[in-house]
Amino acid sequence: MSTITKDGVSNPAPAKAAPAKPRRGLRGSPTFNFWLFTGPFLIGLAIFVYLPILWSFYLSFFEARFTVTPSEFIGLDNYVLMLTDEDFMGSLGTFTVFAAIIVPLTWATSLGLALMVNRLRFMRAFFRSVFFLPTAVSYVAASLVWKMSIFNGVRFGMANTFLNMFGIDNTAWLANPDPPWYWLVIVTVRLWLQAGFYMILFIAALQNIPQELYEAAAIDGAKPGWQTFWHITLPQLRATSTAVILLLLVAAYQAFDEFFNLLAKTTWGRPPLMELYYKALGDNQDYGAGSAGALILTVLICLVTLLQGKFMGFGRGEESK
Amino acid sequence: MSAMSNSNWDRRSVLRAAMGLAAAGGLAACGSNTGRGGGSGSGKALTQYFHAYGEAGTEQAIKRYAKAYKGGNVTTQWITGSNFESKLFASLLTDKAPDCFEFHPQLQLIESGQVADLSDLINPVKDDFNPADIQSHTVDGKIYGIRMIDDPQFFFYRKSMFEKAGVEVPQTLDELVAAAAKLTTDKVKGAYLGNTLHSIIDPLIWSAGAQHLDDKNQIAYHTDAVVDGFKQLRKLFTSGDLLLDAPTDFWDPSALNQGLAAMQWCGMWAMPQMQEALGDDLGIFPFPKVGDAGKLSVYNGGWSMFVNAKGKNVEETKEYVKWLWIDQKEYQEDWALSYGFHIPPRTSIAESADKLKSGLPAEGVKLFNEYGNFDNIGWTQASRTAMEDVMANCVRKGGDPDKELTKADAKVNRELKKLFG
């Protein structure tokens, strides 16, 4: 069908959309396509995640020293051993101290960096990259730089050289648990490594805050700066903050690399994963006890995550807007 | 639309190319270089594990020996980092376990069926080995490993610094603590015992006149003298006269060579590097006596070659280790003397080694023979870890040594019960 224009020229009728070719066989099946794309991932997940978890659960009820195919069933003995093990229970205390320091510090640092970078008019991309780059560095490499170059205990360590300038004697940062200077080393390396990543999350969230809110607040007399930040920016970042804190908390539970490389073979400063490593994969090779500890830890992480979500209202961010 | 969009690389082409690459990869894998190469032999593919030695040239040497073997294609895994034991133990549970590996004689390896009986290889040449080395690898009359090198460990010291401070070579641990105080200046610490202090645990026990286990495989380390030894070490640790947190650990001679400490606990393997850096300004002495009943001691460490009993090529691997560590005496001598200094466990090689016949190396051999103590095969990794915890908790952390040793007793007894019933 054609149409008549003012000039009396008829326009060609719009071409009809070509009828979709009937899809043939499995390729046209959404179910097939779903399994085609998710299948490999699910198979990998089953083989490399769920099967080891189930095997670990199985091992936790057996005497499994120097074997992962044990035959001696010992019931709950491994769980009792782990729950009465001073070192394992102490590692939960170490985690608590670590999380209490690193979670708020990283949250505040990454938010501060995001606010600074977001306000920049020039070289914004440069500074984003500069702060984000440490994320690409491996924890092992960073730990070795911190241990051997910055915080070694001799006079030519960077930190000691700086202190020597003020007449302060060399400090053994990692060798001596009293005073516990090792926390400074561990916290600074992790802060350097991960603040940039969370900064990016906060920058994305900051850019999602409607500008109208600030304009309306300005009309109502709100002063830019602290007042605006406290009453507009921070509440608008609630969902992101909750997610960041959750991620930081889980990451703190999983801390291993920097502790292992900075505090190898100490009895202090061992987070749960390091303790389990020594129990299961280190010199003891007790896979039964290690598996029991891993399951105890898994249950604990799930509980803490659920509680944190409940108290901080994870997923309620949209409602709060 | 960009030219790229008109490319002929549609999905089918990409898929075909990928499949072609995969096929080519598969064919390539049938070729000579599969990544597992290393030897020139035409027999079985064998894998051996070595920890990373600090002396330059060692990795190349081990790979060179393996390449010279004609009976198989031997690949070397040179494992860097400080967790060689963990990697080894974990891999021994898998299909990717090495066919042979170096380690120390430990009973749990035998109890768990992880190492093969090598008696038939060693018995014909048994008399040419250091008897203590044979004894430390023997269980119920069967010999389970071939000693490759003996590594005595003792104190190295700077003679000039001792002279300047008016210090004599310490004979007791008390004297060592006092000497460290006199030797300490604003630039140099009196002593360096390693960052973890783990390497002096065994000498401390021996120098206190004790043993790890007695003849009945019961705890023998928990004595008053050992408790006092830990207390004296705590005094040294907190004195400010001990070098702490050095960039490298006790096995590396840097602390002494760079003038960070006046004396250092280290092994004979580092002697060539020290002599090169310090010339004649170098002396050695054994771990001093601890208490009245004590005696001077030297730790005769070392490394041995074991065959994975659960491997797929046990007989072929035994042939390889026999070829390298029993038949090839020139390689054994090269391995012991061309990189660091180690004492060859074969008497015939040790006696003919010119490098060990004079000067400081000869003195090291003398200390090895007079004061040396070898590993006890019943003293396993779990027991070692228990004692390392004692060192950490009472010397570095300030805990009560007697209480910490009692805690260790429980762990060691658990281990002994599993090993000996």
Side-chain angles (χ1 to χ4, degrees):
Chain A
M1 189 176 174
S2 63
T3 54
I4 305 298
T5 65
K6 286 177 185 174
D7 302 327
V9 179
S10 66
N11 282 339
K16 282 185 182 174
K21 287 181 184 174
R23 291 172 184 265
R24 287 171 299 171
L26 285 173
R27 286 184 63 202
S29 161
T31 310
F32 173 76
N33 287 333
F34 170 79
W35 286 112
L36 182 68
F37 283 101
T38 57
F41 170 73
L42 287 176
I43 291 169
L45 197 68
I47 293 174
F48 296 110
V49 177
Y50 294 126
L51 202 60
I53 290 174
L54 288 174
W55 197 255
S56 185
F57 183 67
Y58 171 78
L59 283 178
S60 69
F61 297 104
F62 285 82
E63 168 66 38
R65 280 203 67 202
F66 292 96
T67 180
V68 285
T69 51
S71 55
E72 190 185 341
F73 182 78
I74 56 169
L76 294 172
D77 283 5
N78 281 325
Y79 289 91
V80 174
L81 179 76
M82 292 307 289
L83 289 170
T84 53
D85 185 337
E86 269 182 41
D87 297 334
F88 180 67
M89 298 309 283
S91 74
L92 297 175
T94 302
F95 154 74
T96 307
V97 173
F98 179 56
I101 301 170
I102 197 70
V103 173
L105 196 60
T106 311
W107 176 85
T109 307
S110 52
L111 178 57
L113 288 174
L115 289 167
M116 275 196 316
V117 171
N118 202 42
R119 290 173 69 94
L120 287 175
R121 294 187 181 279
F122 301 103
M123 298 182 74
R124 185 191 287 190
F126 171 77
F127 281 106
R128 270 188 204 172
S129 304
V130 165
F131 292 127
F132 183 74
L133 270 179
T135 307
V137 178
S138 93
Y139 274 63
V140 176
S143 301
L144 292 178
V145 170
W146 251 245
K147 181 182 185 175
M148 299 180 78
S149 180
I150 303 174
F151 287 106
N152 71 48
V154 298
R155 60 178 182 270
F156 46 76
M158 197 184 288
N160 278 340
T161 304
F162 179 75
L163 291 178
N164 290 164
M165 287 161 58
F166 300 96
I168 300 171
D169 202 8
N170 294 336
T171 298
W173 301 97
L174 294 164
N176 196 344
D178 184 26
W181 285 118
Y182 62 91
W183 278 122
L184 177 72
V185 186
I186 282 171
V187 167
T188 51
V189 71
R190 180 164 273 233
L191 190 64
W192 182 76
L193 282 166
Q194 63 179 18
F197 173 76
Y198 294 103
M199 176 198 75
I200 295 292
L201 297 189
F202 276 121
I203 287 175
L206 284 170
Q207 291 174 350
N208 271 340
I209 299 174
Q211 200 55 34
E212 294 83 358
L213 284 177
Y214 292 104
E215 290 164 4
I219 291 167
D220 289 344
K223 294 175 189 167
W226 179 250
Q227 207 172 26
T228 310
F229 170 75
W230 189 252
H231 293 289
I232 297 175
T233 309
L234 205 53
Q236 289 294 314
L237 293 177
R238 178 178 167 156
T240 306
S241 287
T242 306
V244 164
I245 290 170
L246 184 70
L247 290 172
L248 284 169
L249 204 58
V250 173
Y253 259 121
Q254 295 175 335
F256 177 80
D257 289 352
E258 70 271 50
F259 284 89
F260 184 76
N261 286 289
L262 293 169
L263 295 176
K265 301 277 185 179
T266 60
T267 52
W268 55 89
R270 283 187 190 174
L273 280 194
M274 194 163 154
E275 195 58 47
L276 290 179
Y277 172 83
Y278 280 125
K279 194 73 71 185
L281 285 170
D283 297 338
N284 288 324
Q285 298 285 299
D286 193 340
Y287 297 99
S291 296
L295 284 160
I296 292 168
L297 192 62
T298 306
V299 170
L300 203 59
I301 291 174
C302 289
L303 278 176
V304 170
T305 308
L306 288 172
L307 284 173
Q308 195 236 352
K310 186 171 175 58
F311 285 122
M312 295 199 62
F314 188 58
R316 293 208 303 264
E318 288 301 317
E319 297 161 22
S320 67
K321 281 185 181 176
Chain B
M1 196 174 268
S2 71
M4 285 297 287
S5 301
N6 287 326
S7 160
N8 290 327
W9 289 96
D10 58 14
R11 283 177 299 170
R12 284 196 179 84
S13 304
V14 171
L15 189 62
R16 273 198 296 270
M19 289 176 73
L21 277 173
L27 287 171
C30 297
S32 59
N33 188 359
T34 62
R36 285 177 60 84
S40 60
S42 56
K44 293 269 187 182
L46 307 175
T47 307
Q48 58 179 358
Y49 273 18
F50 274 78
H51 83 286
Y53 285 71
E55 302 93 283
T58 45
E59 182 179 4
Q60 292 78 7
I62 280 294
K63 289 181 175 172
R64 192 172 66 248
Y65 309 152
K67 197 171 182 181
Y69 182 57
K70 304 297 180 196
N73 194 0
V74 184
T75 304
T76 304
Q77 291 249 350
W78 192 258
I79 297 171
T80 55
S82 58
N83 53 341
F84 171 73
E85 291 90 344
S86 308
K87 286 179 182 169
L88 172 65
F89 289 150
S91 72
L92 284 176
L93 300 174
T94 71
D95 289 341
K96 300 290 182 191
D99 294 292
C100 55
F101 56 89
E102 62 166 8
F103 203 61
H104 316 290
Q106 294 198 349
L107 193 54
Q108 94 271 343
L109 290 169
I110 299 161
E111 292 288 308
S112 54
Q114 285 176 326
V115 292
D117 173 13
L118 304 182
S119 305
D120 54 329
L121 309 185
I122 302 169
N123 277 335
V125 290
K126 191 176 164 183
D127 293 342
D128 192 34
F129 272 90
N130 183 324
D133 278 328
I134 294 291
Q135 191 191 343
S136 64
H137 292 69
T138 303
V139 176
D140 295 334
K142 295 177 181 172
I143 306 167
Y144 285 90
I146 307 175
R147 194 64 149 183
M148 301 183 297
I149 41 173
D150 282 321
D151 287 329
Q153 295 174 26
F154 25 65
F155 276 101
F156 290 80
Y157 70 99
R158 297 280 295 271
K159 287 179 177 174
S160 60
M161 290 183 182
F162 270 52
E163 280 168 21
K164 192 177 173 189
V167 172
E168 294 293 321
V169 169
Q171 297 296 313
T172 66
L173 191 53
D174 273 331
E175 287 176 17
L176 184 107
V177 175
K182 285 184 183 173
L183 290 160
T184 298
T185 67
D186 58 340
K187 299 274 187 201
V188 182
K189 293 288 185 184
Y192 181 52
L193 307 174
N195 288 329
T196 60
L197 310 181
H198 290 172
S199 60
I200 56 157
I201 294 172
D202 292 340
L204 177 76
I205 291 170
W206 291 316
S207 280
Q211 289 291 329
H212 298 77
L213 302 173
D214 62 17
D215 294 340
K216 294 175 182 170
N217 290 311
Q218 301 290 313
I219 287 172
Y221 59 79
H222 193 159
T223 66
D224 290 343
V226 172
V227 169
D228 286 342
F230 278 116
K231 285 178 181 170
Q232 283 169 283
L233 282 179
R234 172 67 183 170
K235 190 177 159 192
L236 178 62
F237 186 83
T238 54
S239 65
D241 306 324
L242 188 66
L243 178 64
L244 304 172
D245 240 352
T248 55
D249 217 326
F250 87 98
W251 46 264
D252 185 277
S254 299
L256 198 74
N257 288 357
Q258 294 173 355
L260 297 173
M263 53 182 159
Q264 173 181 349
W265 183 260
C266 194
M268 195 161 141
W269 59 80
M271 199 180 271
Q273 282 176 271
M274 290 182 183
Q275 286 180 311
E276 191 181 343
L278 307 171
D280 293 335
D281 188 16
L282 188 65
I284 54 175
F285 64 91
F287 198 93
K289 295 176 190 174
V290 181
D292 296 334
K295 50 187 179 183
L296 303 174
S297 73
V298 165
Y299 173 43
N300 287 350
W303 291 91
S304 311
M305 181 53 65
F306 297 90
V307 171
N308 176 8
K310 294 176 180 173
K312 292 169 188 161
N313 312 300
V314 175
E315 289 309 313
E316 291 85 351
T317 311
K318 283 175 72 172
E319 279 176 31
Y320 168 65
V321 300
K322 177 182 179 297
W323 173 82
L324 180 52
W325 299 112
I326 290 181
D327 298 339
Q328 302 301 313
K329 282 189 167 185
E330 73 275 22
Y331 288 155
Q332 293 159 39
E333 187 172 351
D334 179 66
W335 182 239
L337 298 163
S338 296
Y339 311 98
F341 281 162
H342 312 265
I343 298 177
R346 300 286 293 274
T347 314
S348 56
I349 301 174
E351 284 176 351
S352 65
D354 290 336
K355 288 180 181 175
L356 301 180
K357 283 183 178 169
S358 60
L360 205 59
E363 211 175 315
V365 174
K366 191 170 170 234
L367 293 184
F368 170 86
N369 290 326
E370 283 184 21
Y371 305 112
N373 293 272
F374 287 78
D375 286 316
N376 182 327
I377 200 165
W379 190 250
T380 63
Q381 287 301 110
S383 301
R384 286 187 178 280
T385 305
M387 287 305 288
E388 287 169 2
D389 288 353
V390 173
M391 179 61 87
N393 287 339
C394 67
V395 176
R396 299 171 71 189
K397 212 172 168 183
D400 177 57
D402 197 30
K403 283 182 185 169
E404 292 300 329
L405 281 169
T406 304
K407 273 163 62 181
D409 294 348
K411 293 177 186 171
V412 173
N413 275 328
R414 186 168 171 249
E415 178 73 0
L416 293 176
K417 194 179 172 191
K418 282 179 181 170
L419 291 172
F420 301 107

